[in-house]
Amino acid sequence: MYELQMSVAAMRNFVSLGCLVGRGKVGFMQFGKGMNLQNATSCLTKGEVGSAWGKVMFPAVGRRRYSGSCGAAEVQIQHFQGENSGITAVLMNRPHARNSLGNVFVTQLEEAVEDLCHDKSVRVVLFKSQIKGVFCAGADLKERAEMSNAEVGHFVHRLRNLMSNIACLPMPTIAAIDGYALGGGLELALACDLRVAASSAKMGLIEVTRGLLPGAGGSQRLPRVIGISLAKELIFTGRQIDGEQAMSMGLVNSAICQNDMGDAAYQKALDLAKAILPQGPVALRMAKQAMNKGIEVDLGSGMAIEEMCYAQVIPTKDRLEGMAAFKEKRLPHFIGE
């Protein structure tokens, strides 16, 4: 075992596994001055990772509506059951406004993401629109027009934190883009780990056409996904691209010919979720953590992050189950411990 060292700058960039989510705000454990590798590692102890799955497995509960004092439910959570238990879909349904990011919609999505962050039974999350031909049309400009300058700034801050919370979800996430994903809609998809699109879907960060710039993470996440030059071209021109073009740029993982039901991307995303589902839950979370944080730092610091994450997998029951299954020539049964 070699001694690990990380620069102070790298430690500032390292963020722990947990996401402390609240409506309208997000909190992260961030390491800065005075933190060393040993202290940072203690934030990824077996206790925290183990308790992240624990021994309590929540039963499937079908769909949960998020309404409360906000009126009609515009966001629902659907927990799959049976052999697909562990897959959860976030269903977006604001038909009169094409899933635009209005106050009610955003509040309900914040609540849904907060629940998912702490739901130990969820292994894969899909983001899906219930409206044919639309994923998310972006900002609700009618609501935005009624806001003061200060209110606009506060609301966009909420959106930025919401997208960060989605990116911070510990399990793999997949955006199923079966229609328009514009502005904040594409920023939502960019916050997911994987994206699947119908070949006819339209995507773009079109904010400059309204005298704005991407304000919910798009100016940062798009360059990291497709490269700085292509990202600048798309953002500077406000150009919309289809699913095939998005796949050629690396913006989406797959582009699928649309079907008569208008849910080809969702069906492909569901197949992808089913392929992820049987894998080790703790291993998946640690792999996501290692990649997401490692890509933000230099290679040496990234190796240190990988080692910290790997150390959390070593004492798990799932690792022993994986080795036993290999020896006995059978499929493993992982329990997330």
Side-chain angles (χ1 to χ4, degrees), residues 76-130:
Q76 294 176 304
I77 286 184
Q78 180 184 24
H79 295 284
F80 285 67
Q81 303 183 39
E83 64 181 10
N84 292 326
S85 178
I87 298 175
T88 294
V90 176
L91 307 176
M92 302 179 292
N93 189 27
R94 194 185 180 209
H96 64 282
R98 297 161 60 88
N99 285 343
S100 61
L101 298 167
N103 183 60
V104 172
F105 184 92
V106 169
T107 297
Q108 293 179 6
L109 191 53
E110 286 169 340
E111 293 173 351
V113 171
E114 181 173 0
D115 279 1
L116 289 172
C117 186
H118 301 290
D119 191 335
K120 316 307 186 294
S121 68
V122 178
R123 298 190 180 190
V124 190
V125 175
L126 304 174
F127 284 83
K128 175 188 184 296
S129 171
Q130 295 289 78

Side-chain angles (χ1 to χ4, degrees), residues 17 46-54 117-121 170 285 336:
L17 177 67
K46 178 183 177 183
E48 287 194 352
V49 176
S51 63
W53 282 91
C117 186
H118 301 290
D119 191 335
K120 316 307 186 294
S121 68
R285 292 183 173 212

Side-chain angles (χ1 to χ4, degrees), residues 113-285:
V113 171
E114 181 173 0
D115 279 1
L116 289 172
C117 186
H118 301 290
D119 191 335
K120 316 307 186 294
S121 68
V122 178
R123 298 190 180 190
V124 190
V125 175
L126 304 174
F127 284 83
K128 175 188 184 296
S129 171
Q130 295 289 78
I131 304 168
K132 191 172 183 178
V134 176
F135 178 72
C136 174
D140 187 328
L141 296 181
K142 291 182 179 179
E143 281 192 12
R144 194 72 61 85
E146 301 297 321
M147 297 179 182
S148 67
N149 290 346
E151 289 170 334
V152 169
H154 174 72
F155 190 75
V156 173
H157 181 72
R158 278 183 65 194
L159 289 178
R160 190 176 301 115
N161 286 345
L162 171 60
M163 303 313 171
S164 293
N165 279 353
I166 292 172
C168 184
L169 284 170
M171 69 291 290
T173 55
I174 309 171
I177 308 171
D178 272 305
Y180 284 92
L182 303 176
L186 182 54
E187 288 176 306
L188 193 162
L190 283 166
C192 295
D193 298 307
L194 307 173
R195 287 159 294 281
V196 179
S199 56
S200 58
K202 296 294 184 181
M203 288 157 272
L205 294 179
I206 61 172
E207 286 84 351
V208 296
T209 68
R210 301 293 185 267
L212 301 166
L213 74 154
S219 69
Q220 303 306 305
R221 291 193 175 94
L222 186 64
R224 286 166 166 80
V225 172
I226 67 172
I228 188 68
S229 294
L230 273 176
K232 285 181 176 178
E233 178 184 337
L234 293 182
I235 290 174
F236 290 169
T237 62
R239 180 161 63 95
Q240 298 179 31
I241 59 174
D242 62 26
E244 293 290 345
Q245 292 171 309
M247 187 173 70
S248 71
M249 295 178 180
L251 176 56
V252 300
N253 297 79
S254 301
I256 311 298
C257 290
Q258 189 58 278
N259 58 29
D260 292 338
M261 296 295 293
D263 68 348
Y266 172 67
Q267 294 301 328
K268 177 65 175 179
L270 185 56
D271 288 341
L272 189 54
K274 291 176 180 177
I276 294 171
L277 183 61
Q279 314 311 326
V282 178
L284 286 172
R285 292 183 173 212

Side-chain angles (χ1 to χ4, degrees), residues 295-326:
I295 199 67
E296 301 295 334
V297 299
D298 62 87
L299 182 60
S301 299
M303 292 293 188
I305 292 171
E306 179 185 80
E307 179 148 356
M308 287 189 290
C309 292
Y310 196 96
Q312 309 313 309
V313 180
I314 293 174
T316 62
K317 295 178 182 179
D318 280 352
R319 185 182 73 89
L320 299 177
E321 166 62 13
M323 292 191 299
F326 176 79

